[in-house]
Coordinates of all heavy atoms in Angstrom, one line a residue:
L223 N 51.6 40.2 224.9 CA 52.4 39.1 225.4 C 52.4 39.0 226.9 O 52.9 40.0 227.6 CB 53.9 39.2 224.9 CG 54.9 38.1 225.4 CD1 54.5 36.8 224.7 CD2 56.3 38.5 225.1
T224 N 51.7 38.0 227.5 CA 51.6 37.9 228.9 C 52.3 36.7 229.5 O 52.7 36.6 230.7 CB 50.1 37.8 229.3 OG1 49.5 36.7 228.7 CG2 49.4 39.1 228.9
A225 N 52.5 35.6 228.7 CA 53.1 34.4 229.1 C 54.5 34.2 228.5 O 54.7 34.3 227.3 CB 52.2 33.2 228.7
L226 N 55.5 33.9 229.4 CA 56.9 33.9 228.9 C 57.6 32.8 229.7 O 57.6 32.9 231.0 CB 57.5 35.2 229.1 CG 59.0 35.4 228.7 CD1 59.1 35.2 227.1 CD2 59.5 36.8 229.1
S227 N 58.1 31.8 229.1 CA 58.9 30.8 229.8 C 59.9 30.1 228.9 O 59.6 29.7 227.8 CB 57.9 29.7 230.4 OG 58.7 28.7 231.0
F228 N 61.1 30.0 229.4 CA 62.2 29.4 228.7 C 62.4 27.9 229.2 O 63.2 27.2 228.6 CB 63.5 30.1 228.8 CG 63.5 31.5 228.3 CD1 64.5 32.4 228.6 CD2 62.5 32.0 227.5 CE1 64.5 33.7 228.1 CE2 62.4 33.3 227.0 CZ 63.5 34.1 227.3
D229 N 61.7 27.6 230.2 CA 61.8 26.2 230.8 C 63.3 25.7 230.8 O 64.2 26.4 231.2 CB 60.9 25.3 230.0 CG 59.4 25.5 230.4 OD1 59.1 25.6 231.5 OD2 58.6 25.5 229.5
N230 N 63.4 24.5 230.2 CA 64.7 23.9 230.2 C 65.3 24.1 228.8 O 65.8 23.1 228.2 CB 64.6 22.4 230.5 CG 66.0 21.7 230.7 OD1 66.9 22.4 231.2 ND2 66.1 20.5 230.3
S231 N 65.3 25.3 228.4 CA 65.8 25.6 227.0 C 67.3 25.7 227.0 O 68.0 25.6 228.0 CB 65.2 26.9 226.5 OG 65.7 28.0 227.2
A232 N 67.8 26.0 225.8 CA 69.2 26.3 225.6 C 69.5 27.8 225.3 O 70.6 28.1 224.9 CB 69.8 25.4 224.4
I233 N 68.5 28.6 225.5 CA 68.6 30.0 225.3 C 69.6 30.7 226.3 O 69.4 30.6 227.5 CB 67.3 30.7 225.4 CG1 66.3 30.2 224.3 CG2 67.4 32.3 225.2 CD1 64.9 30.7 224.4
T234 N 70.7 31.2 225.7 CA 71.7 31.8 226.6 C 71.9 33.3 226.4 O 72.4 34.0 227.3 CB 73.1 31.1 226.3 OG1 73.4 31.3 224.9 CG2 73.1 29.6 226.6
T235 N 71.4 33.8 225.3 CA 71.7 35.2 225.0 C 70.4 36.0 224.7 O 69.6 35.6 223.8 CB 72.7 35.4 223.8 OG1 73.8 34.6 224.0 CG2 73.0 36.8 223.5
L236 N 70.3 37.1 225.4 CA 69.2 38.1 225.1 C 69.7 39.3 224.5 O 70.7 39.9 225.1 CB 68.4 38.4 226.3 CG 67.8 37.2 227.1 CD1 66.9 37.7 228.2 CD2 67.0 36.3 226.2
Y237 N 69.2 39.8 223.4 CA 69.7 41.0 222.8 C 68.9 42.3 223.1 O 67.8 42.2 223.6 CB 69.7 40.8 221.3 CG 70.9 39.9 220.8 CD1 70.8 38.5 220.9 CD2 72.1 40.4 220.5 CE1 71.8 37.7 220.5 CE2 73.2 39.6 220.2 CZ 73.0 38.2 220.2 OH 74.1 37.4 219.8
P238 N 69.5 43.5 222.8 CA 68.8 44.7 223.2 C 67.5 44.9 222.5 O 67.3 44.4 221.4 CB 69.8 45.8 222.6 CG 71.1 45.1 222.7 CD 70.9 43.7 222.3
G239 N 66.5 45.4 223.3 CA 65.2 45.7 222.8 C 64.4 44.5 222.5 O 63.3 44.5 221.9
L240 N 64.8 43.3 223.0 CA 64.1 42.0 222.7 C 62.6 42.1 223.0 O 61.8 41.7 222.2 CB 64.8 40.9 223.6 CG 64.1 39.6 223.5 CD1 64.1 39.1 222.0 CD2 64.9 38.6 224.4
F241 N 62.3 42.6 224.2 CA 60.8 42.7 224.6 C 60.4 44.1 224.7 O 59.6 44.5 225.5 CB 60.6 41.9 225.9 CG 60.9 40.5 225.9 CD1 62.0 39.9 226.4 CD2 60.0 39.6 225.2 CE1 62.3 38.6 226.4 CE2 60.3 38.2 225.1 CZ 61.4 37.7 225.7
K242 N 60.9 45.0 223.9 CA 60.6 46.4 223.9 C 59.1 46.6 223.7 O 58.5 46.2 222.8 CB 61.4 47.2 222.8 CG 61.1 48.7 222.8 CD 61.9 49.3 221.6 CE 61.6 50.8 221.6 NZ 62.3 51.5 220.6
G243 N 58.6 47.3 224.7 CA 57.1 47.7 224.6 C 56.2 46.6 225.0 O 55.0 46.7 224.8
C244 N 56.7 45.5 225.5 CA 55.8 44.4 225.9 C 55.2 44.7 227.3 O 55.6 44.0 228.2 CB 56.6 43.0 225.9 SG 57.1 42.5 224.2
A245 N 54.4 45.7 227.3 CA 53.9 46.2 228.6 C 53.0 45.3 229.4 O 52.8 45.5 230.6 CB 53.2 47.5 228.3
A246 N 52.5 44.2 228.8 CA 51.6 43.3 229.5 C 52.4 42.3 230.3 O 51.8 41.6 231.1 CB 50.7 42.6 228.5
L247 N 53.7 42.2 230.1 CA 54.5 41.3 230.9 C 54.5 41.8 232.3 O 54.6 43.0 232.6 CB 55.9 41.2 230.4 CG 56.2 40.4 229.1 CD1 57.6 40.6 228.7 CD2 55.9 39.0 229.3
S248 N 54.4 40.8 233.3 CA 54.3 41.2 234.7 C 54.8 40.2 235.6 O 55.1 39.0 235.2 CB 52.8 41.5 235.1 OG 52.0 40.4 234.9
G249 N 55.0 40.5 236.9 CA 55.4 39.5 237.9 C 56.9 39.2 237.7 O 57.7 40.1 237.4
V250 N 57.2 38.0 238.0 CA 58.6 37.5 238.1 C 58.9 36.9 236.7 O 58.2 36.0 236.2 CB 58.8 36.5 239.2 CG1 60.3 36.0 239.1 CG2 58.5 37.1 240.5
I251 N 60.0 37.4 236.1 CA 60.5 36.8 234.8 C 61.7 35.9 235.1 O 62.7 36.4 235.7 CB 60.9 37.9 233.8 CG1 59.8 38.9 233.6 CG2 61.4 37.3 232.5 CD1 58.6 38.3 232.9
Q252 N 61.6 34.6 234.8 CA 62.6 33.7 235.2 C 63.4 33.3 234.0 O 62.9 32.8 233.0 CB 62.0 32.4 235.8 CG 61.2 32.7 237.1 CD 60.8 31.5 237.9 OE1 61.2 31.3 239.0 NE2 60.0 30.6 237.2
L253 N 64.7 33.5 234.1 CA 65.6 33.3 232.9 C 66.8 32.3 233.4 O 67.9 32.7 233.5 CB 66.2 34.6 232.4 CG 65.2 35.7 232.1 CD1 65.9 37.0 231.7 CD2 64.3 35.2 230.9
P254 N 66.4 31.0 233.6 CA 67.4 30.1 234.3 C 68.6 29.8 233.4 O 69.7 29.5 233.9 CB 66.6 28.9 234.6 CG 65.5 28.9 233.6 CD 65.1 30.4 233.4
T255 N 68.5 29.9 232.1 CA 69.6 29.5 231.2 C 70.4 30.6 230.6 O 71.4 30.4 230.0 CB 69.0 28.7 230.0 OG1 68.1 29.5 229.2 CG2 68.3 27.5 230.4
V256 N 69.9 31.9 230.8 CA 70.6 33.1 230.2 C 71.9 33.4 230.9 O 71.9 33.5 232.1 CB 69.6 34.3 230.3 CG1 70.3 35.5 229.8 CG2 68.4 34.0 229.4
T257 N 72.9 33.5 230.1 CA 74.3 33.8 230.6 C 74.8 35.1 230.0 O 75.8 35.6 230.5 CB 75.2 32.7 230.3 OG1 75.4 32.6 228.8 CG2 74.8 31.4 230.9
S258 N 74.1 35.7 229.1 CA 74.7 36.9 228.4 C 73.6 37.8 228.0 O 72.5 37.4 227.4 CB 75.4 36.5 227.1 OG 75.9 37.6 226.4

């Protein structure tokens, strides 16, 4: 998994281990809608 974008989504909650082991993710991760 290298590409990740929530854009103008309604996603507010990220849970433990969500991206566990996704070692290919890099750079800046933008989470504009996440509140929890």
